[in-house]
Amino acid sequence: MQMLRLPQVMAKTGLSRAAVWAKQNPKNSRYDAAFPKGVKLAANTTAWVESEIDAWLESRISFSRKQHQQGAMS
């Protein structure tokens, strides 16, 4: 299992540091319950499971494609 640190998550998703943390915070308007939760490895170390990040990206791509197709049908 491959773990990604924040800079790798940012590079892979195209999200900013603030956006990654916002997606995990239920009190934030940018919260995304589907976004993978970070895993605390140590007091100041969080990492994400790469396969979960990949699955989230795939779901976003699929959602975007469906939205595009629905728009084309209207």
Side-chain angles (χ1 to χ4, degrees), residues 51-62:
S51 61
E52 292 177 0
I53 294 292
D54 291 341
W56 180 81
L57 285 168
E58 287 295 328
S59 74
R60 298 305 307 153
I61 292 167
S62 178

Side-chain angles (χ1 to χ4, degrees), residues 1 8 11 13 22 24 42 49 51 58 63-64:
M1 175 179 322
Q8 295 167 304
T13 62
Q24 297 194 101
V49 178
S51 61
E58 287 295 328
F63 178 77
S64 177

